[in-house]
Amino acid sequence: MTESLSERTDSRGIWGKGLSRFRRNPLGMSGLWILMFLYAVAILAPVLTPYDPYEPGELPAMRYLPPSLSHPLGTDKFGRDVLTRILFGARISLSISFIAVAISVVIGTVVGAVSGYFGGLIDSIIMRFVDALMSIPRLFLLLTCIALFNTSVALIVILLGATGWMATARLVRGQVLALKEKEFIKASQALGAGSQLIIFKHLIPNTLTVIVVAATLRIGGIILTEAALSFLGIGVPPPIPSWGQMVFEGREVLMSAWWVSAFPGIAIALTVVAYNLLGDALKDAFDPRQFM
């Protein structure tokens, strides 16, 4: 029990030291501030704009208006304010990516922890199943599932989460294989602690730093995947605004009304870069070699 308490204390120390290193990383902090800004404007979207993201403007007078004081980012083919749809689209794109990554992290963490802890035949079966899933192109799997069901935001979230947990499972398994040989795990087993208690109370909490870093790095990829699905016309169903769908809608007028696609594309790029900066900074801050 003393060793277990020591491990938990060390874990809290790792979090404190890691966050201290992260705060000294200007690129990581820049990514964090950008993301905080994006989430803030998404939450405050109804307050920040007087326009309705769904209601079309007076056609044809308001169709493809260039950026102006009344419409800072112009209007689309239905006369809708592009800035308004970007703000409300942030709610969809950011929510989908965050929830999908949360689903994939939960599934991957549990599967990886169980596989690594029990080892042997169970580990072999689970890992071969994971390898088989990873061999299937993810986009092909998503397209197949979407073709079988009616497209909806909930379906997109579930599919993105259910098809993205395998890498997390392999990562957590590797961590658990090393942790289960530690003295505090052996002591818990000697005291009669069950497998469920050991996995969820000792092993998973001690892999959280790695899980958080991996999740942060993967959110950018989820955003790009959702944008790609929307660009292909099989993502978030219209008229619900999403950044990928807005890029798709402006593809035919890139030369005459470039703002319809350009500004949502910039929003996607900015978000992905911010998440990558945050993830890289967290990876450097919580690098195990820093604590040796």
Side-chain angles (χ1 to χ4, degrees):
M1 295 299 292
T2 303
E3 183 65 28
S4 179
L5 178 61
S6 175
E7 290 288 339
R8 290 197 294 269
T9 302
D10 290 345
S11 178
R12 288 195 294 268
I14 289 174
W15 277 101
K17 294 176 182 177
L19 290 175
S20 177
R21 289 192 182 93
F22 171 76
R23 285 193 292 267
R24 295 196 296 270
N25 188 317
L27 291 178
M29 290 300 296
S30 298
L32 178 61
W33 283 111
I34 291 172
L35 290 173
M36 290 175 63
F37 171 77
L38 290 172
Y39 277 98
V41 298
I43 294 171
L44 299 174
V47 179
L48 297 175
T49 176
Y51 300 107
D52 190 312
Y54 303 101
E55 185 178 354
E58 296 180 4
L59 298 177
M62 293 186 63
R63 186 178 187 183
Y64 292 134
L65 292 179
S68 62
L69 290 177
S70 56
H71 299 283
L73 302 184
T75 63
D76 63 10
K77 64 180 177 180
F78 296 111
R80 298 172 300 195
D81 183 65
V82 171
L83 175 59
T84 298
R85 288 182 61 79
I86 288 177
L87 294 178
F88 279 86
R91 291 182 160 192
I92 300 299
S93 297
L94 295 177
S95 297
I96 286 177
S97 61
F98 188 85
I99 298 173
V101 167
I103 293 173
S104 67
V105 164
V106 170
I107 297 174
T109 298
V110 173
V111 171
V114 169
S115 178
Y117 177 74
F118 288 104
L121 181 61
I122 294 177
D123 181 39
S124 297
I125 293 173
I126 292 177
M127 284 299 104
R128 296 300 75 75
F129 176 68
V130 169
D131 291 341
L133 290 179
M134 293 185 73
S135 68
I136 303 174
R138 188 180 187 188
L139 186 58
F140 173 77
L141 186 60
L142 290 170
L143 292 175
T144 302
C145 293
I146 291 173
L148 297 175
F149 304 98
N150 293 326
T151 304
S152 65
V153 175
L155 177 65
I156 298 297
V157 171
I158 293 172
L159 289 178
L160 289 174
T163 58
W165 57 268
M166 289 79 75
T168 301
R170 294 176 67 90
L171 180 64
V172 172
R173 171 184 174 269
Q175 294 292 313
V176 169
L177 285 173
L179 284 171
K180 73 176 185 178
E181 301 300 328
K182 297 288 187 180
E183 288 79 2
F184 74 100
I185 297 296
K186 298 295 185 183
S188 297
Q189 292 171 335
L191 291 171
S195 301
Q196 183 176 349
L197 178 65
I198 292 174
I199 290 173
F200 289 97
K201 187 176 181 181
H202 298 299
L203 292 175
I204 291 180
N206 280 282
T207 63
L208 281 180
T209 54
V210 176
I211 294 170
V212 169
V213 171
T216 305
L217 288 169
R218 289 195 175 96
I219 289 181
I222 292 289
I223 292 174
L224 290 176
T225 303
E226 183 275 325
L229 292 174
S230 296
F231 183 81
L232 293 173
I234 55 175
V236 177
I240 300 174
S242 80
W243 292 341
Q245 182 192 95
M246 294 177 69
V247 174
F248 172 76
E249 291 174 350
R251 74 194 187 286
E252 297 177 350
V253 289
L254 282 175
M255 300 304 295
S256 58
W258 54 268
W259 54 87
V260 178
S261 288
F263 291 118
I266 291 172
I268 293 172
L270 182 64
T271 305
V272 172
V273 169
Y275 266 115
N276 286 339
L277 290 175
L278 177 62
D280 287 338
L282 288 174
K283 182 175 67 175
D284 293 338
F286 290 99
D287 188 340
R289 291 172 296 183
Q290 300 281 353
F291 303 100
M292 292 180 178

